[in-house]
Each structure stands twice: as C-alpha cells, then as structure tokens.
Amino acid sequence: MHHMTLAEIARGLADKKLSSVELTQTLLARIAQLDPQINSFISLTQDLALSQAKAADERRANGESGALLGAPIAHKDLFCTQGIRTSCGSKMLDNFKAPYDATVVAKLAAAGAVTLGKTNMDEFAMGSANESSWYGAVKNPWNLEHVPGGSSGGSAAAVAARLLPAATATDTGGSIRQPAAFTNLTGLKPTYGRVSRWGMIAYASSLDQGGPLARTAEDCAILLQGMAGFDPNDSTSIDEPVPDYSAGLNGSLQGLRIGVPKEYFSAGLDPRIAELIHNSIKELEKLGAVIKEISLPNMQHAIPAYYVIAPAEASSNLSRFDGVRFGYRCENPENLEDLYKRSRGEGFGSEVQRRIMVGAYALSAGYYDAYYLKAQKIRRLVKNDFMSAFNEVDIILGPTTPNPAWKLGAKSSDPVAAYLEDVYTITANLAGLPGLSMPAGFVDGLPVGVQLLAPYFQEGRLLNVAHQYQLNTDWHTRTPTGF
Ligand code: GLN
C-alpha cells in the first residue's frame, strides 16, 4: 500500500478497494518502523490523522469525492497547525503551538487530506542540506551517509522513503526543487503569489513560496490544486483563477520551444549531470519539443544578490522572536537587554545567527546602498533576462543542482560552499517564476534532477511537460533500497 501514488490512492479510495483509515494506520506503522533511520519527522499527529481519515471515509460513504479526500500527507514544520507544535526546525519555537492553521493547512484539511505529521527542515528554512535543524540532520534514503537536500529535507526524505505519497514544502531559493532532485522526487515551486503564505512562518517574504513535493508530476498537480488560490489574508496573494492542473497533464509537446541557457553548462557543473540533462533534452525532442540555445547573462550575479536579500528580509522577520511574545525564553534574565540577548543567542542556531547578522549589516544606514539596493538592482536584471528569454521560448530547461547530494557534514564548516550549490534554483525566486524539478537519472547511485522554468502562472505547462516526460521515462519510479 505504501508504494501507491496520490493518484492511485484516489482511485483506490473511489473504487472502495481501500479505506483512508486502513491506509493511515499502515503508513503510521511504517513511519514508526523506518523513520528512526532518516529522521524526517519532527512531530507525528496520529490522533488527528486517524480522526481525519475516519471523517474522510464517512464523507466518501456519503457520496462525496475528490482526489485529496482521505489522502495522507504531511506538512513542513513551518506551516502553522492549530494546537500542534510548529517548530520551524528551531529550539526557538520548540514550545510553540500555533493558535491557528495556515491557509494551506486549512485548505488541504477542507479537501479531506489527512495530516500524518510535521516534517523536519533546516532551521527557519535556511540551508540546503537539512543539517541545521535543532532536531538533528535528515538522512537521504538513497544513501544514509548523504544529505537529502534542504531546507525541505524532511518532506523529501519521507516521500522518497515511501512513508507517505506527498508532502507540502516551501521554496525561498530552491528548498522544494533541490531536495526533490537529491531524493528522486518531483517538486514544484509555484509563481510567487500563487499559494498563500498566510500562516507560513516567514524566512524571506518576497521570495518564500509553498508548493508540493511528490513522486510524480501527476501527484504534484493534485496537491497543488489543493494548495493554490487567492487568499485575502495574504497581501501578496494574487487573484487569478486556478486552472485544473490534472486536466492539463495530457497536452501534446509538439512544437514546444525549450530554451537551454548556455551559462548552465559552465565549469561548476558535474559533467555526469550535464550528460543526464542532455539525455532528458533528447527525450523531450522525441516528444516533439524544439530546442533553442538561450542566454541568461546576469545569472552569475544571482547568488551574491540572493545572499544579501534573503538575510536582509530574514533579519527583519526574525526580530519578532525576542523571548517576550512567543517561543524560547532564557532562564533568569537580569534585565530586558539580557532577556533579548540570551533568548536569541540560545534559541537560534549558528546559521540563523549568521544570516541575521549579515542581513542587519546589509540593511544598516551606511551600507544599505552598497549592498541591499545593489542586490535589488541585480534582482531586476535577473528578471529582465528571463522576460527576454520567454519572448523566444516556452520553458527553460537545465540541471536543478550542479552536484548530487553531498556527504553529511561535508559542507557544514563552509557555508559559502553550500550557498554556491543554489546557483540554478535561486534565480526563479528572485524573479518570482514557477519552477519544477523532476528525476533525470543517477550518478553514483544518487538521484539527479532536471529543472524546468516557465513564465508566470504557467505551473500547468511545467506539470504537463513533466508528466509527458514521466510517461516516457522510468527514473521517477525507482525506489531506494531498504524502503
Ligand atoms: N539554500 C537556500 C538558503 O539557504 C534556500 C533555502 C530555501 O529555499 N528555503 O537560503
């Protein structure tokens, strides 16, 4: 039962071949048995899951239907869940029970999805390896000595290990697409504003976007359908109709113009990954796509710009964690200043502290123009590059990451080395564009992802291309040994 995709589960439930309660019990038992190896969950919500499953079975018995009705999922632990710990992977919020549900959580619950638990993540979503979590590192099911990617490493590892079919995640600079690539999943970062950020604990508000992580594009379509849509509670949510993503999966790729940026194949890319990307291009050509070389000339400036903008926004967003209103408070503070200093010094881990300091520095009066303003100008140039590219092509294709998943600990003492691994993903966040990563093969037994980017609100196009690719390849069906 644990090998079923969301689409298969939906069919099984509709045909009464299985019940949501039965499925939920099976998966909870599987999590109890296998998760100690990978540490993908921070909290399990067994009681909630079983009551939601029972309610979903009753709704189906009363004639209701829907692809998510009775489907087991989990939420990255930065989506607020009412009455349930929402830790953001941090000691700071270890004792925080959210007073309300995030819009994404509420929408999925209303659609009948069953929440099995909250997944592990890099602290405050800062990282690319899921090693900065206060709850310990997550292991990659494909090789337990390697990282699963981050910051949505818990959601990715759990789905890859077949502990559940799909999970929510968020992507500020690649945190859906990069862990998808590292664990052989399909992950989609929607257009900025497509999925509500209300109740999603903020890292960098102008870049953060929630989205689905699953094994197939078909399942991403199902989960995104439940997540997307206008939310008056989020001032950056966009009031655009949500298309039927599943209905769009079967469009033909005949004549689809795919742009391949020449800058993607520079010295930093592992040549074995480059070869797999070329294979995926050939596969799409067989399906009728036309390939065109394009250029994204400002791509080289994206990492420095991102690593100014994201910490700047983080330093502002994280100022609310002060030991007073919620979260961790130090023991016996001597005075108010001591309370602030020690609560933040003890509650935040070192990567979070580093980013707060970098961000506060970049925003300070004397350096604002030199760093923050400059970074914002680069951001516009990156966006302009994409706008001119999309005048000529329908999607852009390339690697999701320059290297496969590295060994646990390999980059923990060198943060910049980890930042450089984000080179292919962060540009989509800077521009606000949708991006998808899908399985494209293996290097040394570790999965490799191919990334597709599309114009604003063309999530459906990404899912269509990925689905057609997956109908003609079997990388996404491979299962890690032992799971
Ligand atoms: N690795 C990037 C960072 O640490 C992206 C993280 C994310 O998308 N949440 O900022």
Side-chain angles (χ1 to χ4, degrees), residues 119-375:
T119 56
N120 205 341
M121 55 179 284
D122 275 304
E123 186 177 8
F124 284 98
M126 298 172 189
S128 312
N130 217 125
E131 290 179 294
S132 75
S133 168
W134 191 62
Y135 300 89
V138 178
K139 318 278 166 53
N140 190 326
W142 288 92
N143 183 331
L144 298 174
E145 289 178 5
H146 287 248
V147 303
S151 63
S152 314
S155 289
V159 177
R162 276 56 180 168
L163 303 185
L164 76 177
T168 61
T170 62
D171 190 312
T172 303
S175 284
I176 292 176
R177 292 160 287 155
Q178 184 254 21
F182 280 9
T183 59
N184 207 43
L185 299 182
T186 307
L188 177 88
K189 178 203 102 68
T191 307
Y192 184 76
R194 177 77 293 185
V195 168
S196 167
R197 291 185 301 108
W198 198 70
M200 210 177 93
I201 296 176
Y203 159 20
S205 314
S206 77
L207 302 160
D208 297 342
Q209 187 60 200
L213 261 173
R215 300 211 294 275
T216 63
E218 190 181 24
D219 281 7
C220 282
I222 294 173
L223 193 53
L224 180 63
Q225 200 77 48
M227 299 172 78
F230 177 62
D231 179 6
N233 286 333
D234 171 359
S235 61
T236 58
S237 171
I238 298 178
D239 197 357
E240 275 278 317
V242 181
D244 182 338
Y245 295 118
S246 298
L249 292 172
N250 289 316
S252 155
L253 305 192
Q254 201 60 46
L256 178 86
R257 298 167 304 165
I258 299 182
V260 180
K262 59 174 192 266
E263 291 83 2
Y264 279 5
F265 295 88
S266 67
L269 177 65
D270 182 326
R272 299 167 302 174
I273 295 189
E275 196 185 322
L276 292 174
I277 301 306
H278 285 301
N279 293 346
S280 70
I281 292 173
K282 282 187 216 131
E283 202 59 54
L284 290 166
E285 275 184 307
K286 277 195 235 156
L287 300 176
V290 186
I291 308 301
K292 189 171 170 32
E293 187 183 86
I294 58 163
S295 175
L296 299 173
N298 291 293
M299 181 181 143
Q300 50 173 323
H301 307 303
I303 289 184
Y306 173 89
Y307 278 100
V308 169
I309 294 169
E313 294 186 19
S315 74
S316 166
N317 276 324
L318 273 59
S319 63
R320 73 191 69 173
F321 304 108
D322 57 4
V324 178
R325 284 165 292 185
F326 35 61
Y328 178 79
R329 176 178 297 173
C330 67
E331 299 277 343
N332 307 317
E334 278 169 25
N335 51 41
L336 186 62
E337 193 172 323
D338 186 44
L339 170 86
Y340 288 153
K341 272 194 191 155
R342 283 203 291 122
S343 298
R344 288 169 67 80
E346 294 164 17
F348 289 136
S350 58
E351 184 60 25
V352 173
Q353 293 190 21
R354 179 181 298 119
R355 305 235 185 158
I356 290 173
M357 284 192 283
V358 168
Y361 182 85
L363 288 177
S364 60
Y367 296 102
Y368 183 91
D369 288 3
Y371 294 106
Y372 186 71
L373 200 64
K374 184 74 141 204

Side-chain angles (χ1 to χ4, degrees), residues 76-96:
K76 183 176 181 178
D77 206 17
L78 53 53
F79 285 99
C80 284
T81 39
Q82 187 173 9
I84 295 164
R85 172 169 60 182
T86 300
S87 76
C88 235
S90 181
K91 178 179 176 186
M92 182 60 88
L93 290 178
D94 181 53
N95 65 4
F96 175 64

